[in-house]
Amino acid sequence: SALPLLHYFSPMPPVRTGIADYSRELIPHLERTYAVKVAQDDREEAPHGSLAMYHMGNNRYHAGIYRRALAEPGLLVLHDYVLHHLLSAVTLAEGAEEPYVKTLLYAHGAPGGASAIARTHGVFGEYQHFVFPANALVLDRSLACIVHSHDAAARVAFAHPDLPVHRVPMGVPLPPPVSPDDVAAARRRVGLAPDAFVLANFGFITPIKRVDALLAAFKRFAAACPRAVLLVVGELFPDVDVASMCRQLGIAGRVIVDPGLAVELAEVHPS
């Protein structure tokens, strides 16, 4: 019999986000059970009889997916419990204040609405992104929700008791062990010494990832470990100047910043 159809919405490479890389690895496993059609456009018509799967993260690369998930209910894979930054990207960043206020009012009642109105008048703090996760509207429009952590599952189930929610461990298995020769070759390609003690930060690098705190901590660690090297891998948010931070901390020679290294290291990350 024919496999059930899955209409798959996610950022995909060459978009430099962890969810894009995750989807690239996950789809071959899904294809054992489903006929997967990866959406090339967020407005693409759904194949007849298909289930839409929306991979939702908290950044602008999910803007079109968010809009589609609101318009056409499907299976929501909630990678980030907080979606407030995404909401800002699809409303305020496009000059649409009213949808922003309405969404926070819907999700968080009077306190959320008051916070939203204050923001439209220039009063806002970064912490409010986390006080008001702004995920209720898309959750209420979804048929079911998948999360990856016990905490997210409990929070979604508490706030949306009628929504089926399932915790699914990350669906991509670890790669098989790599040989010492492969590890050595990968280190040479990246420019790492054979004996370097490597730390790495992967994924879309936004202000909320607190890379400033990571670099400050790495400076202290590097002082005690001369072989330490930090890799910062992933696309940089426009306001995050990692190179400048490294220069100010005096660790520029110990940090490699390269958005394109993710694919290079995908098969040798245990090194």
Side-chain angles (χ1 to χ4, degrees):
S1 61
L3 295 175
L5 296 173
L6 189 66
H7 201 194
Y8 193 96
F9 290 82
S10 172
M12 297 294 293
V15 175
R16 290 169 177 166
T17 74
I19 294 174
D21 293 334
Y22 173 76
S23 284
R24 175 176 58 87
E25 296 289 339
L26 178 63
I27 287 171
H29 298 279
L30 290 175
E31 288 176 331
R32 299 173 185 173
T33 309
Y34 299 94
V36 180
K37 185 180 190 302
V38 178
Q40 302 300 315
D41 186 291
D42 298 326
R43 296 163 294 180
E44 179 180 288
E45 185 175 346
H48 179 70
S50 66
L51 171 66
M53 174 183 275
Y54 300 110
H55 286 263
M56 198 67 63
N58 189 28
N59 61 63
R60 65 178 184 269
Y61 291 121
H62 299 265
I65 299 171
Y66 177 82
R67 294 188 182 101
R68 180 63 178 260
L70 293 178
E72 182 184 322
L75 174 60
L76 180 71
V77 183
L78 191 64
H79 290 270
D80 295 311
Y81 183 79
V82 171
L83 297 180
H84 199 147
H85 301 79
L86 170 62
L87 175 65
S88 300
V90 301
T91 55
L92 297 178
E94 298 179 0
E97 294 183 349
E98 185 177 353
Y100 176 76
V101 173
K102 285 184 175 180
T103 302
L104 278 195
L105 183 63
Y106 176 91
H108 303 290
S115 172
I117 293 170
R119 184 173 186 178
T120 65
H121 289 82
V123 180
F124 191 75
E126 179 65 27
Y127 77 95
Q128 287 167 271
H129 280 125
F130 302 94
V131 173
F132 304 112
N135 57 27
L137 184 59
V138 72
L139 283 166
D140 282 345
R141 297 279 177 89
S142 298
L143 302 177
C145 178
I146 288 175
V147 295
H148 294 309
S149 72
H150 291 288
D151 176 68
R155 295 171 76 178
V156 171
F158 178 80
H160 305 269
D162 295 328
L163 178 69
V165 56
H166 302 277
R167 187 191 72 85
V168 177
M170 297 296 264
V172 178
L174 290 174
V178 293
S179 71
D181 289 342
D182 289 337
V183 171
R187 283 174 173 256
R188 287 194 297 271
R189 289 196 297 271
V190 177
L192 297 171
D195 64 343
F197 186 94
V198 182
L199 299 93
N201 181 87
F202 293 91
F204 190 38
I205 300 166
T206 65
I208 64 171
K209 297 291 182 68
R210 294 301 309 279
V211 70
D212 55 337
L214 169 65
L215 294 173
F218 175 73
K219 177 180 180 178
R220 296 194 298 272
F221 178 77
C225 181
R227 296 182 296 110
V229 176
L230 174 65
L231 303 182
V232 178
V233 181
E235 183 166 344
L236 300 175
F237 193 80
D239 293 336
V240 180
D241 189 348
V242 176
S244 176
M245 295 181 201
C246 290
R247 288 193 297 271
Q248 292 175 13
L249 291 168
I251 56 174
R254 308 285 292 277
V255 179
I256 297 175
V257 183
D258 190 335
L261 274 180
V263 174
E264 183 76 25
L265 298 176
E267 299 303 325
V268 293
H269 68 87
S271 64

